Amino acid sequence: MNVAIVCMDSQGGIQPYLGLALGLRREGYDVRLVVPSNAVALAAEWQLDARPLSIDIQQLLQGANLAAGGRTGTRAMRGTLAAGLGRWTAEAHAATAGVDLVMAGAGGLDVGRSVAEAHGVPFLETFLQPVGSITGAFPGVFAPNVPRWLGAPGRWVSHILTNALLSVPTRPVVRRVRVETLGLPAGYPKRDRRAPVLYGFSPRVIPTPPSWNGRRFATGYWTTPLPEGWSPPPGLGKFLAAGTPPICFGFGSMPADNPTALAELLVAAARRVGQRALLLSGWGGLEIASADDVYVADAVPHAWLFPRVAVAVHHGGAGTTGAALSAGIPAVVDPHGADQPFWGTRVVELGVGPRPIPRKLLTAPRLADALDRALTDATMRTRAATLGEQLRAEDGVGAAVALIAGYLQRPGLEHAVASN
């Protein structure tokens, strides 16, 4: 059985799908990943079959300069996506030839769903965020700060807004690409109502609402094991062993308007609370001179690193948030945009981190105050440790693979696909 996963996302958004692909491979499935060109080497670390798309997400994000917070960068990024969607859809169509199933989350949804229809094979939605439904149980991902006094109706509206933001901006381009590139009708195919919708997070983090009716499943996090033969840089091992667990600062794929100034701010905040600082430079390129109390690394697997630090300061991406929660440590979230404010709010509601600090409001004193609470609030640290233990006991990959296998073995699947 051949399965394709379309992932058009940053590294943090692709990593969970690597874990899912490895789980499928262990069960005997042939899995191919369709990913941006800059992610092929990442998939190769686990000997996964990765087919490149002619898009480099790192260059796209850095070119948009999202750290500057302007609308110009966002419009430029949307323009690039609109201009390239036809080419990437054609590439994904070729890369998925011969598969029996296509899967994608928010990043690859438009492309994955269309190429699956073109091949006449089923498509499964596999999200990292709670999107695609309307519920009053929690707010929508792109509108997390619904006033409490609006209650469930306000949360329903926030989901309608979120789902619109996911589809409306690209709808005209998608309709054109479907016709011109794939020879399909302009509208989307009918969904197989019996197909499960999978979410790669834990129901302990976002409780399953009754409205999901046994069709939408929060499986647990799709964790990825360390690549075979991986070991930490010698300098990092020495730094960790030289004192108490440091504070880890890392913002993944988020660009920084002034990497050096940001790094200096982070180290100053750590020193204000008497802690050592470990900086993950990431795509933002954080830069600062190493010192006895400062270490800078390019990238280190979160599953290995986070259990060895005292607090994680991060941007609030879905994958990074899951890794910090699973490690059982408090987190201070510095959201930039997209789904990050949602996850930052969720960290607060779970009682495992202080209030998020948006990038525009980030200062050394403000960050130091948040770090002090994350380090000294015994209740917060106990909650984080307990939640981490519970999350590590879950098998999100195994649960997702079982649901996928059950769907593929369902009688009449071929007829359901043909009817689409």
PDB file of all heavy atoms in Angstrom, residues 240 243-247 275-276 307-311 375:
ATOM      1  N   LEU A 240      25.730  21.659  29.133  1.00  0.00           N
ATOM      2  CA  LEU A 240      24.636  21.166  29.954  1.00  0.00           C
ATOM      3  C   LEU A 240      25.140  20.558  31.254  1.00  0.00           C
ATOM      4  O   LEU A 240      24.509  20.701  32.312  1.00  0.00           O
ATOM      5  CB  LEU A 240      23.808  20.138  29.170  1.00  0.00           C
ATOM      6  CG  LEU A 240      23.016  20.676  27.980  1.00  0.00           C
ATOM      7  CD1 LEU A 240      22.405  19.522  27.192  1.00  0.00           C
ATOM      8  CD2 LEU A 240      21.924  21.639  28.446  1.00  0.00           C
ATOM      9  N   GLY A 243      26.434  22.923  34.773  1.00  0.00           N
ATOM     10  CA  GLY A 243      25.631  23.662  35.744  1.00  0.00           C
ATOM     11  C   GLY A 243      24.200  23.185  35.754  1.00  0.00           C
ATOM     12  O   GLY A 243      23.875  22.121  35.216  1.00  0.00           O
ATOM     13  N   THR A 244      23.354  23.977  36.354  1.00  0.00           N
ATOM     14  CA  THR A 244      21.941  23.642  36.419  1.00  0.00           C
ATOM     15  C   THR A 244      21.316  23.748  35.030  1.00  0.00           C
ATOM     16  O   THR A 244      21.879  24.401  34.144  1.00  0.00           O
ATOM     17  CB  THR A 244      21.206  24.590  37.382  1.00  0.00           C
ATOM     18  OG1 THR A 244      21.409  25.942  36.935  1.00  0.00           O
ATOM     19  CG2 THR A 244      21.726  24.425  38.804  1.00  0.00           C
ATOM     20  N   PRO A 245      20.163  23.103  34.796  1.00  0.00           N
ATOM     21  CA  PRO A 245      19.526  23.179  33.475  1.00  0.00           C
ATOM     22  C   PRO A 245      19.306  24.626  33.050  1.00  0.00           C
ATOM     23  O   PRO A 245      18.791  25.445  33.814  1.00  0.00           O
ATOM     24  CB  PRO A 245      18.204  22.442  33.685  1.00  0.00           C
ATOM     25  CG  PRO A 245      18.480  21.473  34.787  1.00  0.00           C
ATOM     26  CD  PRO A 245      19.435  22.193  35.703  1.00  0.00           C
ATOM     27  N   PRO A 246      19.703  24.966  31.832  1.00  0.00           N
ATOM     28  CA  PRO A 246      19.580  26.357  31.363  1.00  0.00           C
ATOM     29  C   PRO A 246      18.168  26.643  30.863  1.00  0.00           C
ATOM     30  O   PRO A 246      17.307  25.760  30.786  1.00  0.00           O
ATOM     31  CB  PRO A 246      20.577  26.411  30.213  1.00  0.00           C
ATOM     32  CG  PRO A 246      20.543  25.021  29.650  1.00  0.00           C
ATOM     33  CD  PRO A 246      20.357  24.104  30.836  1.00  0.00           C
ATOM     34  N   ILE A 247      17.958  27.899  30.512  1.00  0.00           N
ATOM     35  CA  ILE A 247      16.753  28.286  29.789  1.00  0.00           C
ATOM     36  C   ILE A 247      17.055  28.159  28.303  1.00  0.00           C
ATOM     37  O   ILE A 247      18.090  28.621  27.827  1.00  0.00           O
ATOM     38  CB  ILE A 247      16.353  29.730  30.124  1.00  0.00           C
ATOM     39  CG1 ILE A 247      15.993  29.844  31.601  1.00  0.00           C
ATOM     40  CG2 ILE A 247      15.186  30.184  29.260  1.00  0.00           C
ATOM     41  CD1 ILE A 247      15.831  31.273  32.075  1.00  0.00           C
ATOM     42  N   GLN A 275      20.109  32.817  35.454  1.00  0.00           N
ATOM     43  CA  GLN A 275      20.122  31.532  34.757  1.00  0.00           C
ATOM     44  C   GLN A 275      21.037  31.562  33.539  1.00  0.00           C
ATOM     45  O   GLN A 275      21.297  32.619  32.954  1.00  0.00           O
ATOM     46  CB  GLN A 275      18.701  31.169  34.302  1.00  0.00           C
ATOM     47  CG  GLN A 275      17.700  31.052  35.432  1.00  0.00           C
ATOM     48  CD  GLN A 275      17.991  29.887  36.350  1.00  0.00           C
ATOM     49  OE1 GLN A 275      18.247  28.769  35.886  1.00  0.00           O
ATOM     50  NE2 GLN A 275      17.960  30.132  37.654  1.00  0.00           N
ATOM     51  N   ARG A 276      21.490  30.387  33.166  1.00  0.00           N
ATOM     52  CA  ARG A 276      22.269  30.240  31.939  1.00  0.00           C
ATOM     53  C   ARG A 276      21.323  30.206  30.735  1.00  0.00           C
ATOM     54  O   ARG A 276      20.148  29.865  30.863  1.00  0.00           O
ATOM     55  CB  ARG A 276      23.110  28.960  31.980  1.00  0.00           C
ATOM     56  CG  ARG A 276      24.065  28.916  33.168  1.00  0.00           C
ATOM     57  CD  ARG A 276      24.998  27.712  33.073  1.00  0.00           C
ATOM     58  NE  ARG A 276      24.252  26.450  33.031  1.00  0.00           N
ATOM     59  CZ  ARG A 276      24.722  25.330  32.489  1.00  0.00           C
ATOM     60  NH1 ARG A 276      25.912  25.335  31.910  1.00  0.00           N
ATOM     61  NH2 ARG A 276      24.013  24.224  32.510  1.00  0.00           N
ATOM     62  N   PRO A 307      13.830  17.988  27.683  1.00  0.00           N
ATOM     63  CA  PRO A 307      13.872  17.411  29.032  1.00  0.00           C
ATOM     64  C   PRO A 307      15.111  17.811  29.829  1.00  0.00           C
ATOM     65  O   PRO A 307      15.163  17.584  31.043  1.00  0.00           O
ATOM     66  CB  PRO A 307      13.859  15.899  28.774  1.00  0.00           C
ATOM     67  CG  PRO A 307      13.240  15.740  27.428  1.00  0.00           C
ATOM     68  CD  PRO A 307      13.719  16.934  26.652  1.00  0.00           C
ATOM     69  N   ARG A 308      16.093  18.422  29.166  1.00  0.00           N
ATOM     70  CA  ARG A 308      17.346  18.777  29.820  1.00  0.00           C
ATOM     71  C   ARG A 308      17.443  20.265  30.141  1.00  0.00           C
ATOM     72  O   ARG A 308      18.499  20.735  30.551  1.00  0.00           O
ATOM     73  CB  ARG A 308      18.530  18.349  28.933  1.00  0.00           C
ATOM     74  CG  ARG A 308      18.660  16.827  28.801  1.00  0.00           C
ATOM     75  CD  ARG A 308      19.645  16.444  27.696  1.00  0.00           C
ATOM     76  NE  ARG A 308      19.995  15.024  27.759  1.00  0.00           N
ATOM     77  CZ  ARG A 308      19.247  14.043  27.287  1.00  0.00           C
ATOM     78  NH1 ARG A 308      18.095  14.324  26.674  1.00  0.00           N
ATOM     79  NH2 ARG A 308      19.634  12.787  27.400  1.00  0.00           N
ATOM     80  N   VAL A 309      16.356  21.020  29.908  1.00  0.00           N
ATOM     81  CA  VAL A 309      16.374  22.453  30.200  1.00  0.00           C
ATOM     82  C   VAL A 309      15.309  22.769  31.247  1.00  0.00           C
ATOM     83  O   VAL A 309      14.419  21.965  31.532  1.00  0.00           O
ATOM     84  CB  VAL A 309      16.154  23.298  28.924  1.00  0.00           C
ATOM     85  CG1 VAL A 309      17.196  22.943  27.870  1.00  0.00           C
ATOM     86  CG2 VAL A 309      14.750  23.117  28.366  1.00  0.00           C
ATOM     87  N   ALA A 310      15.393  23.979  31.814  1.00  0.00           N
ATOM     88  CA  ALA A 310      14.465  24.365  32.883  1.00  0.00           C
ATOM     89  C   ALA A 310      13.177  24.964  32.335  1.00  0.00           C
ATOM     90  O   ALA A 310      12.082  24.724  32.872  1.00  0.00           O
ATOM     91  CB  ALA A 310      15.146  25.371  33.809  1.00  0.00           C
ATOM     92  N   VAL A 311      13.301  25.783  31.298  1.00  0.00           N
ATOM     93  CA  VAL A 311      12.160  26.461  30.676  1.00  0.00           C
ATOM     94  C   VAL A 311      12.446  26.560  29.180  1.00  0.00           C
ATOM     95  O   VAL A 311      13.595  26.764  28.784  1.00  0.00           O
ATOM     96  CB  VAL A 311      11.949  27.880  31.258  1.00  0.00           C
ATOM     97  CG1 VAL A 311      10.788  28.589  30.566  1.00  0.00           C
ATOM     98  CG2 VAL A 311      11.719  27.835  32.759  1.00  0.00           C
ATOM     99  N   LEU A 375      10.092  29.711  36.538  1.00  0.00           N
ATOM    100  CA  LEU A 375      11.119  29.020  37.325  1.00  0.00           C
ATOM    101  C   LEU A 375      10.697  28.786  38.774  1.00  0.00           C
ATOM    102  O   LEU A 375      11.120  27.804  39.396  1.00  0.00           O
ATOM    103  CB  LEU A 375      12.412  29.841  37.312  1.00  0.00           C
ATOM    104  CG  LEU A 375      13.169  29.904  35.978  1.00  0.00           C
ATOM    105  CD1 LEU A 375      14.163  31.058  35.997  1.00  0.00           C
ATOM    106  CD2 LEU A 375      13.876  28.577  35.698  1.00  0.00           C
TER     107      LEU A 375
END
